[in-house]
Amino acid sequence: MDATLFQRKHQLWLRIAFLSFAVNNPSIKNRLYEFSQIEFRHLKWVAGSLYENNVSYNYERDPLFSIESESFFTLVRTTINEIKSLHLIYDEIPLGERMRSDENYMLSTLNAYLEKISLDEILSAFNRSLNWPDALLSARETDALALFLFEELYKEYELIMVYFYRQIRATTASQVSHFQDLMDESHFHLRSFAEMMTKMGILSLPRTLHSRTYEITDMEKFLRGGIIEEENAKEECRRLSSSITDEKLSAFFEFINYQESYHSEIMKKLLGEF
């Protein structure tokens, strides 16, 4: 098991997650998102094994890696091919057998989709329409919403991967629990923002993280900075909420705002662990 496996599993998690964000069929969307969460657990187990064996890994992605296509079936076929290629490099160990077994079921599900021509659809997630379909927004409101979503999608991905990195290196059960709570919250925010981007035709991958972002050496400094960042995120939510006249959107951002508030409390608990 080496760092190449981590990179490819990282990409597979992103591929399945963003495929779930892009597709419109509710039952397919939910099943694919469940699969992406299974892949994220695989990724955590791979990272843990690499760390235990002193094998370094990073969050780099293949420069040609892309999640965009106009066709749902095209992305399904790409996902199938990626999974099959991964099966060629899994070690014959319990973890490799577990991942292969999980993905064999995923393959059967994906192949079953391809057998139903009616399930294919033209994906509008990447068409750059820049239009919010659920309410009439002004050009200023639309631009503000799009900018916010791009920034927040990257921020939530960054937080997931930073907390992920630190959870692998946690030294107490309390640390593991706190980092898991923070990751779970960021997964929900990532999904929410990504599906809003899909509605606007602007879904895209967050940019790749540099190792300086997640290789934290001073955790106390990082957590104190994180508390300040959460306050800034709350302010961004408040600003966007007040600038958009649609009540449903404003209520959603107020909801996110209050969740960000409790993240600061979790970080304060973590501060006592370092």
Side-chain angles (χ1 to χ4, degrees), residues 12-18 20-21 30-42 106 187:
L12 182 58
W13 162 58
L14 287 171
R15 179 171 300 288
I16 298 176
F18 276 76
S20 79
F21 304 149
N30 289 334
R31 178 46 57 94
L32 289 174
Y33 187 72
E34 290 167 353
F35 286 170
S36 78
Q37 290 295 286
I38 291 172
E39 286 296 343
F40 192 80
R41 286 197 293 277
H42 289 184
M106 294 180 196
H187 275 295

Side-chain angles (χ1 to χ4, degrees), residues 71-257:
S71 165
F72 171 57
F73 274 16
T74 296
L75 292 181
V76 169
R77 292 187 184 99
T78 300
T79 305
I80 288 172
N81 290 336
E82 280 196 17
I83 292 173
K84 287 181 175 178
S85 68
L86 270 168
H87 286 193
L88 298 176
I89 64 172
Y90 285 162
D91 293 333
E92 297 299 323
I93 57 175
L95 176 55
E97 292 171 359
R98 165 62 192 267
M99 294 190 297
R100 185 180 289 106
S101 175
D102 284 348
E103 289 169 354
N104 280 338
Y105 181 72
M106 294 180 196
L107 287 172
S108 68
T109 302
L110 294 172
N111 280 308
Y113 293 155
L114 295 178
E115 292 174 1
K116 298 181 180 179
I117 301 301
S118 62
L119 293 180
D120 198 9
E121 61 177 270
I122 301 299
L123 301 177
S124 60
F126 313 108
N127 68 9
R128 308 297 188 265
S129 64
L130 203 63
N131 174 60
W132 180 251
D134 296 343
L136 184 61
L137 302 182
S138 68
R140 179 184 60 80
E141 290 174 320
T142 300
D143 289 345
L145 177 59
L147 179 60
F148 175 86
L149 292 174
F150 274 115
E151 291 177 345
E152 290 302 300
L153 184 82
Y154 173 74
K155 189 202 82 170
E156 297 299 344
Y157 169 67
E158 176 185 8
L159 290 175
I160 288 169
M161 300 311 293
V162 170
Y163 299 145
F164 174 94
Y165 191 88
R166 290 311 314 176
Q167 189 187 52
I168 296 298
R169 291 154 179 76
T171 55
T172 68
S174 181
Q175 289 175 17
V176 171
S177 177
H178 290 324
F179 282 125
Q180 188 63 51
D181 286 341
L182 289 167
M183 277 194 293
D184 289 345
E185 295 276 277
S186 287
H187 275 295
F188 171 73
H189 292 180
L190 179 76
R191 184 183 189 183
S192 299
F193 296 142
E195 292 189 347
M196 293 174 74
M197 293 174 78
T198 289
K199 288 186 175 184
M200 300 182 76
I202 56 173
L203 184 63
S204 61
L205 281 170
R207 61 187 180 273
T208 303
L209 297 176
H210 192 280
S211 59
R212 288 193 298 268
T213 306
Y214 52 87
E215 290 181 354
I216 311 298
T217 54
D218 188 337
M219 276 304 296
E220 181 177 350
K221 180 180 178 181
F222 166 74
L223 289 168
R224 293 190 184 282
I227 292 169
I228 295 172
E229 283 188 19
E230 292 294 348
E231 290 300 317
N232 292 337
K234 285 172 54 183
E235 184 57 36
E236 285 300 314
C237 278
R238 282 195 294 265
R239 185 180 297 116
L240 186 63
S241 178
S242 63
S243 69
I244 290 181
T245 55
D246 181 65
E247 291 184 3
K248 289 183 179 179
L249 273 175
S250 294
F252 172 73
F253 288 118
E254 281 299 312
F255 163 66
I256 296 295
N257 180 23

